[in-house]
Amino acid sequence: MSEILERSPIVQQLYELACACSRAEDEAVAEVVDSAVQLQLPVIDALIDAGLVNEDEFYKGLAQMMKMPLVSGEIEAEEVSELKGVLGAALAIRYQVVPLKLEENILTVACYDPFKMDVRQTLSRKLQMTIKWVLAERRHVRNSLSAIYGVGADTFEKILAGRDLNADQLAEKDEASVLDDDESDEASVLRFVNQILREALLQKATDIHIEPQSDILRIRYRVDGQLLDVPVPDRINALQSSVVARLKIMSRLDVAERRLPQDGRIHLRNKGKSIDVRVATIPSVEGETVSLRLLNQEKFDLGALELEDTVRDRIHEVLSLSHGVILATGPTGSGKSTSLYCFLDHLNKPETRTVTIEDPVENKLPGIVQIAVRPEVGLTFAKGLRSILRADPNNVMIGEIRDTETAEIAIRASLTGHLVFSTLHTNTAIGGISRLLDMDIEPFLVSASVRAFLAQRLVRRLCKHCAEPVDDWSTERARELGIPNEIAQIGQPHHAVGCPECRHTGYQGRIAIYELCQITDAIQNMIAKGADENAILHQAMREGFESMRDYGWRKVMKGVTSIEEVLSCTHAHSEGDNFD
C-alpha cells in the first residue's frame, strides 16, 4: 500500500470503495488514486475518468460512507428549472451542482463530489441561505446542468452580466461589435461558440444546426442520424447575430453578406485530434441559419465496415479488378463516401497511384492525391477528371457522378485500364443501371464498364448496455417478417430499451447495411439488350444477390440493430417492385 493511502483516511476509504466497485486490479486503482492526490486533482473525477468504477455501485457506497441522501436516477430538468433564478448558471456550472428544491429558505442542492468543502462554503456565502446537500451520480449532474441551463449558459450569463442592455439593444450592439471587431465582446462569444462545438463532439454529433426563430435561437445536434434539440440559455436570441457572425469569421466567410448562401470550413483541434467542420449558411426570413458538418479526421479501414461474409468476399473480388467502374448508391447521408474511402485505403499501396476529385474533400487520406472541385475557377468534375487521367493513376475516385459528361469520362477511363469509384443517388443497387441510362449513357457502355453497384443505408446500433432480447420471438414471427430460414437461425433479435449511456434512445452509433450487385456476363448481356430492372434482379438473385433487407436481418439476428431500424430504411424486393 502506498504512503499516500496510509496518510489519508478519506483517500483510503475512497480507494477501498473503488476497489469494491471495480473489475480492475487493486494496483491499478491505487495508481490512479495516488496520481490524483499528487497532482491535487479530485479523486472521484480521476476514478470515473479512468473508467475504473461502476458509477451506480460507487455512488451507493459513497452515500453510505458519507451518510448522505442519494438522488436515484436522472434529475428531471422540468421540475427544477424554476430554481435557475436562485442558483445561476455561472455558479452551478462552475461548481457542478444542481438545485433541487427550495422550502422555507432551505435550498436542496445535489453534488457528485462531497469532499469539495470550498464549494459548500462559497455557495453558502453567496446565496445567504441554508443549503441541504445530497449526492447524485456525476453523469446525472452534468446532464442536468446542460438540460436546465442550456449549453454554454455560464459564458452566456457572464456576457449578459457585463451589459446593461435589453434584448433588442443587445442584438444591435452585438452586430456592431462583430463588424467593428470588438475584441472583448468577441472573445466571450468565441468561448460560447466553442462550448457549443465541444458539447456536440462530446455527444458524437455529426451535424450542428443553428436556426434563428422568431423568439429564440434554436440549436440542434444530429446524433445517430436523429435531430435532437439542444437546451439553450434564456434570452439566447440576444446574441443571435454575434454567434452567426463568429461562425462566419471562423470559417472565413463574408460577414456582411447576408442575402446569399455561403460555404466555408473551420479547422479545429479537440483533445489532440484534428476536426474539419464544413459550414453552410442559408438566409431565411428570421435570419441566417448555419449548418455545420463535423468531420473527424479518422482512419479508414475496410474491417471497420463490419461487412457480412456474403458481401465481404464479393467486395474483395471487386477490389482486385484492374479496371472498371464501381458505384456506391444511396441517398445523401447514407455513408457512401465512408465506404469508398475504406475501399481506397485498402488499395492504397506503394505500387499504386490513387487520385480523387471531390466536392468538397471531406476527409484527408495519407498517400492519396485529393483534388477539390472549384467551379468558380472552372475546375469541375469533368475537367478535373480529364486532367487526372493524364496523371498516370491506377485508381480514381469521383465524389459524385452528376451529369452525362462526367459519367461518360468515368466510363471511358475504366475502358482504358483504370479502376474508377464514384457515387450515385439511387435507392437500390440495380437502380443504378436505370440512373446511368437516364443520363443517356449507351447500354453497351454501361454493360462493358460497370463492374458493381453497391447500395447502402445507415441503421442505428442497439445500445450494448441496455438492449434486451425480443420476448415473443418465434419461427412464425420470423416468417411473418420475411426473414429467410437460414438467417433466422443465426441468433435472436434484440430491441431498444434506453438507459443513461444512450440518452434513453436505446441506440449508440450507426452501422451500414448493404446490397451488392456484381455485373456478371449474364447481366451484361441483359443490360446491353435493354432488359428491365425486375428481370435483372431475378438474374442477380439466381447468382447469389442478397437484398439490403436480408443483409439487415443478419445484423438483427446478431443483436447489432433492431427489427424496426431495418424495416424503416429497406423494402422487400418483389416481382411488382418498380424501384422508383
Side-chain angles (χ1 to χ4, degrees):
M1 184 180 296
S2 70
E3 294 181 5
I4 292 176
L5 294 177
E6 291 178 340
R7 285 200 306 266
S8 172
I10 292 178
V11 174
Q12 170 67 27
Q13 285 180 293
L14 283 175
Y15 163 73
E16 292 174 355
L17 175 60
C19 289
C21 302
S22 174
R23 295 179 181 176
E25 297 292 334
D26 292 357
E27 291 79 6
V29 177
E31 184 179 345
V32 170
V33 172
D34 283 351
S35 176
V37 173
Q38 290 172 3
L39 297 173
Q40 297 184 338
L41 299 174
V43 174
I44 291 176
D45 279 321
L47 289 168
I48 297 175
D49 288 341
L52 293 181
V53 296
N54 178 295
E55 275 198 64
D56 292 334
E57 297 177 11
F58 180 77
Y59 273 96
K60 287 177 183 176
L62 186 60
Q64 293 177 356
M65 183 178 114
M66 300 299 296
K67 295 181 172 57
M68 291 177 66
L70 176 65
V71 178
S72 60
E74 293 198 352
I75 302 166
E76 293 295 332
E78 294 81 4
E79 297 179 4
V80 297
S81 58
E82 67 275 6
L83 295 177
K84 290 189 290 185
V86 179
L87 180 57
L91 286 176
I93 294 174
R94 178 180 179 184
Y95 296 122
Q96 296 288 284
V97 294
V98 179
L100 298 182
K101 63 181 178 180
L102 177 62
E103 294 179 344
E104 299 179 355
N105 208 41
I106 299 176
L107 179 66
T108 302
V109 175
C111 68
Y112 71 81
D113 190 340
F115 299 107
K116 295 181 178 179
M117 302 308 298
D118 57 327
V119 171
R120 296 192 181 201
Q121 294 169 359
T122 300
L123 287 183
S124 296
R125 184 177 67 253
K126 287 183 176 292
L127 299 180
Q128 295 183 348
M129 61 178 62
T130 303
I131 297 179
K132 178 183 176 182
W133 293 91
V134 299
L135 266 180
E137 294 181 28
R138 188 180 76 167
R139 60 185 175 183
H140 295 332
V141 169
R142 291 185 171 178
N143 290 342
S144 298
L145 288 173
S146 177
I148 295 166
Y149 295 98
V151 62
D154 52 339
T155 298
F156 179 78
E157 194 171 90
K158 291 174 185 176
I159 295 172
L160 293 186
R163 303 178 181 188
D164 186 19
L165 297 170
N166 62 37
D168 293 336
Q169 292 172 324
L170 186 56
E172 294 173 5
K173 175 66 176 177
D174 283 335
E175 182 173 337
S177 69
V178 171
L179 298 178
D180 295 337
D181 196 21
D182 184 330
E183 194 61 32
S184 61
D185 283 350
E186 288 307 305
S188 296
V189 174
L190 177 57
R191 285 195 295 272
F192 179 66
V193 169
N194 285 345
Q195 285 176 298
I196 294 173
L197 293 169
R198 279 196 297 270
E199 181 66 20
L201 292 170
L202 186 64
Q203 293 196 29
K204 299 180 180 179
T206 56
D207 299 85
I208 305 172
H209 297 288
I210 298 174
E211 305 161 328
Q213 307 289 307
S214 59
D215 57 348
I216 196 171
L217 182 65
R218 185 187 195 187
I219 299 177
R220 294 191 290 175
Y221 296 157
R222 188 177 292 279
V223 181
D224 296 340
Q226 306 293 311
L227 277 175
L228 306 175
D229 274 315
V230 178
V232 294
D234 297 336
R235 297 179 64 199
I236 189 176
N237 55 315
L239 289 181
Q240 170 181 314
S241 55
S242 278
V243 170
V244 172
R246 171 51 63 183
L247 287 168
K248 292 172 74 172
I249 289 170
M250 293 172 71
S251 50
R252 296 179 173 83
L253 300 180
D254 184 351
V255 177
E257 179 55 75
R258 299 172 187 166
R259 301 164 299 172
L260 298 173
Q262 297 186 71
D263 296 309
R265 295 183 85 98
I266 301 174
H267 299 284
L268 302 175
R269 291 193 68 82
N270 182 56
K271 297 181 179 179
K273 292 180 65 177
S274 178
I275 299 164
D276 275 350
V277 182
R278 279 170 50 191
V279 183
T281 68
I282 302 175
S284 73
V285 293
E286 299 292 350
E288 284 185 285
T289 69
V290 184
S291 296
L292 302 98
R293 169 67 59 87
L294 306 177
L295 302 168
N296 292 312
Q297 294 299 311
E298 55 188 306
K299 291 185 177 180
F300 294 92
D301 177 68
L302 197 57
L305 298 179
E306 299 182 35
L307 297 169
E308 292 293 312
D309 295 345
T310 53
V311 169
R312 186 188 61 238
D313 295 342
R314 292 189 170 207
I315 287 290
H316 280 285
E317 183 180 336
V318 169
L319 295 180
S320 66
L321 298 173
S322 60
H323 63 277
V325 179
I326 301 169
L327 295 171
T329 74
T332 300
S334 59
K336 302 185 298 296
S337 295
T338 297
S339 294
L340 292 186
Y341 282 142
C342 291
F343 298 162
L344 294 181
D345 177 78
H346 179 76
L347 296 172
N348 187 17
K349 297 178 175 61
E351 62 271 17
T352 62
R353 175 175 167 83
T354 301
V355 183
T356 76
I357 180 163
E358 307 168 60
D359 182 20
V361 175
E362 293 189 357
N363 290 277
K364 297 175 183 176
L365 301 174
I368 290 177
V369 179
Q370 295 176 271
I371 303 169
V373 168
R374 296 183 63 190
E376 68 274 13
V377 296
L379 179 55
T380 62
F381 277 119
K383 289 186 178 180
L385 186 52
R386 286 194 183 95
S387 298
I388 288 172
L389 297 179
R390 293 194 291 269
D392 188 32
N394 300 97
N395 310 308
V396 176
M397 188 187 95
I398 309 165
E400 181 184 349
I401 292 180
R402 299 176 178 173
D403 52 49
T404 302
E405 185 181 13
T406 305
E408 287 179 341
I409 298 171
I411 286 173
R412 297 191 186 281
S414 72
L415 296 175
T416 55
H418 301 88
L419 193 57
V420 181
F421 298 86
S422 191
T423 66
L424 278 176
H425 286 128
T426 66
N427 289 332
T428 63
I430 294 174
I433 298 171
S434 296
R435 182 76 181 94
L436 290 177
L437 296 178
D438 288 343
M439 289 182 175
D440 295 326
I441 304 300
E442 294 293 338
F444 77 90
L445 285 177
V446 176
S447 64
S449 60
V450 181
R451 300 277 69 86
F453 291 95
L454 179 73
Q456 67 180 86
R457 298 290 190 280
L458 292 177
V459 294
R460 292 181 292 173
R461 289 177 180 270
L462 286 168
C463 174
K464 296 179 181 179
H465 302 278
C466 64
E468 295 179 355
V470 174
D471 293 330
D472 58 346
W473 186 250
S474 64
T475 304
E476 290 73 21
R477 178 83 189 281
R479 191 178 300 115
E480 289 173 2
L481 290 168
I483 302 178
N485 290 333
E486 68 274 12
I487 297 178
Q489 295 172 6
I490 292 175
Q492 182 175 1
H494 286 58
H495 67 91
V497 177
C499 68
E501 294 292 334
C502 59
R503 306 176 308 282
H504 297 285
T505 63
Y507 299 94
Q508 272 192 319
R510 291 189 291 175
I511 189 170
I513 58 175
Y514 300 93
E515 64 181 26
L516 176 67
C517 176
Q518 287 179 274
I519 307 303
T520 61
D521 291 342
I523 294 178
Q524 279 183 322
N525 291 332
M526 295 179 72
I527 294 172
K529 293 177 181 178
D532 63 28
E533 288 186 19
N534 277 327
I536 294 173
L537 170 61
H538 292 153
Q539 176 62 34
M541 295 179 86
R542 284 193 289 271
E543 297 176 354
F545 170 84
E546 181 176 73
S547 71
M548 192 185 303
R549 175 163 287 189
D550 285 349
Y551 185 101
W553 290 141
R554 291 183 183 276
K555 294 299 184 184
V556 167
M557 301 310 295
K558 292 181 178 180
V560 176
T561 189
S562 67
I563 294 170
E564 293 76 14
E565 281 293 295
V566 172
L567 290 176
S568 70
C569 67
T570 65
H571 69 277
H573 289 323
S574 67
E575 290 190 19
D577 252 329
N578 58 14
F579 302 91
D580 285 341

